[in-house]
Amino acid sequence: MPYIPFTDEQKILANSVDLEEFLRMRGEKLERVGREHKLIYYDSSGKHDSITLRGSTWFDHKNQVGGGAIKFMQEFYGMDFQTAVQELLGQRVTPLSHSPPKVSAKEEKKEFRLPETNTNMHRVYAYLIKQRFISPDIISHFAKQHTLYEDKEHHNAVFVGIDENGVPRQASKRSTNSYGNSFRITCQGSDTRYSFAHFGESKRLYVFEAPIDMMSFLTLYPKDWQKHSCIAMNGVYENAVLVALKNHSNLSEVILCVDNDEGGIEAVDRLKDILSENGYTDVKRLAPKFKDWNEVLKAKNGVKALPAVPHKRKEEYLKEVSELGYLKCRPDKLTSQIYATFKNGQYKYLAEYALAGSAFFIDKSCEKDMFAKLRAKLKAEYKPYTDKGKITAKQRNLQECVTAVMKDLRQTARTREQCINTAKLLYQLADRAVSLAVEETLSEPVAEHIESEDIVCEPEPCMEFG
């Protein structure tokens, strides 16, 4: 394809296309999950539903990659940049020949078969005990349950997920090789609604990213562990967790024990939202001191452990919000203050004016106290998994919000309902201003910024408008 010199505006427009609407128009199957949508497709290895969409952003939880609309077209359909932008701009609407075939699951889905079992588990025991420091008793428990064994061909550790009737439905293999590249892979034909787990009689379910994390945690905290339930998601995808909660009515308390890194931090917020949408509100976070629970176990045994990885965007956002200072709202000056700070790129001041305005329209009799409550609300409600997109997209979002606020502020006489609506718009403006300020702080002097995923602390008390 000949090179097409797309303008920056065209690139921004293409990258901000609503993927949910775009993919539906092209015949893709989507399923709503909480505030997001899952993309459902089939290929030679069966059904896949690990990609979630939210507006113009997406994330593949299996492969831990995500981004904007252009990157989706490149990654998922194998398009080059030129073709991807043309498709998104609607300049060429061709059949998506790279699209996974739209055929029934019965035709495409491969039969699930467990890898052949080895006559012993010597290599698995040696790997898990000597390299991972997992308790032999924990290993033996799952081996006796036939949910952990050694495969015959490559001597991998095989972790099995069984359904409510005890029938194996899913399996993942983990290399026990001490040298070369290690790997973790899900067996073909696996039903992702089931995963490596243990179910007890208490109300508590501990959720982990991987089987080794789960077994490491049980090694660290062995007391009465069989009374509780625990499950490994094989990533940060919620499917198996929701099925486990549905199939075990005693479970009502969820403890998220995912990694203490960017992916885990974002997963906590995302999983909390999805669980809440499904009626589970008793959800807590238990973060490992190091990157994950096996790293904690390594440190306990004198081995250098990988440190926790902070979420830079989240930390910077919380820092910026904490530093917002109270400025008494001057309603007659608010429009000019917002316009001037936006035009001059003074996003911290813009956020302060907007938040002060929001406090004023909620209750001007206690404006300063209300400002403090709204500042706490910004911190409590911030979720990095929803704060995606390049700096140009955030600039556009802020401009749209400024336009909406300026239009709203032209009103004179207001009802109480109109005041609350104005307060909401100004609160949203403050959030977007801080978000853009954070992006500018974190932005690097390169054309492409790579997005990443993260963990959460206990939220501050949250207030409601009205």
Side-chain angles (χ1 to χ4, degrees), residues 14 87 109 164 189 231 357 408 461:
E87 289 280 355
K109 187 172 177 62
E164 52 272 18
I231 190 168
D408 181 86

Side-chain angles (χ1 to χ4, degrees), residues 24 29 77 111 120 221 224 288 290 303 363 399 405 449:
R24 278 203 180 94
K29 181 181 179 182
Y77 292 119
E111 181 183 357
N120 61 63
Y221 305 101
D224 297 330
F290 295 93
V303 176
D363 190 348
Q399 183 172 1
V405 167
H449 180 71

Side-chain angles (χ1 to χ4, degrees), residues 57-347:
T57 61
W58 62 280
F59 189 74
D60 185 343
H61 299 275
K62 181 177 180 181
N63 297 308
Q64 292 291 289
V65 63
I70 295 174
K71 188 175 180 181
F72 178 88
M73 302 297 280
Q74 291 174 304
E75 295 280 341
F76 191 67
Y77 292 119
M79 295 181 179
D80 58 34
F81 181 84
Q82 300 282 308
T83 305
V85 174
Q86 279 193 312
E87 289 280 355
L88 291 165
L89 292 176
Q91 294 178 6
R92 48 179 286 154
V93 183
T94 58
L96 294 178
S97 58
H98 296 85
S99 175
K102 308 296 188 300
V103 293
S104 69
K106 290 183 179 178
E107 293 174 334
E108 284 292 337
K109 187 172 177 62
K110 289 192 174 183
E111 181 183 357
F112 171 66
R113 291 183 181 179
L114 288 172
E116 187 176 355
T117 307
N118 195 35
T119 55
N120 61 63
M121 289 181 61
H122 294 168
R123 292 199 191 181
V124 168
Y125 267 93
Y127 170 73
L128 294 177
I129 294 172
K130 294 181 180 180
Q131 293 189 48
R132 296 294 190 163
F133 304 101
I134 293 172
S135 165
D137 291 340
I138 299 296
I139 302 170
S140 295
H141 171 85
F142 291 102
K144 290 175 182 177
Q145 300 296 317
H146 305 293
T147 55
L148 170 60
Y149 67 92
E150 183 175 314
D151 80 345
K152 183 177 181 180
E153 185 176 5
H154 299 293
H155 303 283
N156 298 311
V158 181
F159 300 94
V160 182
I162 59 176
D163 65 16
E164 52 272 18
N165 298 313
V167 179
R169 298 293 186 187
Q170 182 267 359
S172 61
K173 295 186 288 187
R174 175 77 191 202
S175 170
T176 58
N177 191 359
S178 303
Y179 306 98
N181 294 326
S182 62
F183 69 89
R184 183 177 65 194
I185 189 170
T186 300
C187 296
Q188 285 190 346
S190 289
D191 187 339
T192 58
R193 294 177 300 166
Y194 303 95
S195 190
F196 181 71
H198 164 81
F199 295 104
E201 297 178 355
S202 83
K203 67 177 182 179
R204 188 175 297 172
L205 174 66
Y206 291 87
V207 177
F208 302 87
E209 289 191 27
I212 288 178
D213 291 325
M214 178 176 135
M215 297 174 74
S216 299
F217 182 86
L218 299 180
T219 299
L220 288 162
Y221 305 101
K223 185 178 179 181
D224 297 330
W225 73 265
Q226 293 186 45
K227 291 182 179 180
H228 307 298
S229 299
C230 48
I231 190 168
M233 296 182 290
N234 290 312
V236 291
Y237 189 47
E238 74 282 352
N239 209 3
V241 177
L242 294 176
V243 171
L245 290 167
K246 180 180 177 181
N247 290 339
H248 298 83
S249 58
N250 59 299
L251 297 175
S252 60
E253 179 184 351
V254 181
I255 313 294
L256 299 175
C257 305
V258 294
D259 293 358
N260 196 349
D261 61 7
E262 288 196 347
I265 291 169
E266 291 196 2
V268 168
D269 288 324
R270 180 178 166 275
L271 290 169
K272 279 186 174 181
D273 283 346
I274 291 172
L275 288 166
S276 178
E277 292 275 349
N278 284 272
Y280 298 95
T281 56
D282 190 359
V283 183
K284 300 180 179 65
R285 166 63 160 140
L286 187 57
K289 180 180 179 180
F290 295 93
K291 180 184 177 295
D292 58 45
W293 293 104
N294 192 245
E295 296 301 324
V296 175
L297 193 54
K298 285 179 181 178
K300 185 178 180 180
N301 284 273
V303 176
K304 186 176 180 180
L306 294 174
V309 182
H311 196 295
K312 292 181 180 179
R313 181 174 285 108
K314 180 169 185 174
E315 289 192 350
E316 184 63 28
Y317 182 94
L318 298 180
K319 173 178 172 290
E320 295 264 3
V321 171
S322 296
E323 293 174 352
L324 293 179
Y326 168 68
L327 300 171
K328 184 172 179 58
C329 180
R330 296 279 302 277
D332 57 325
K333 301 284 187 181
L334 189 56
T335 300
S336 60
Q337 289 168 336
I338 288 174
Y339 177 76
T341 51
F342 170 71
K343 185 178 180 180
N344 296 327
Q346 298 170 304
Y347 302 125

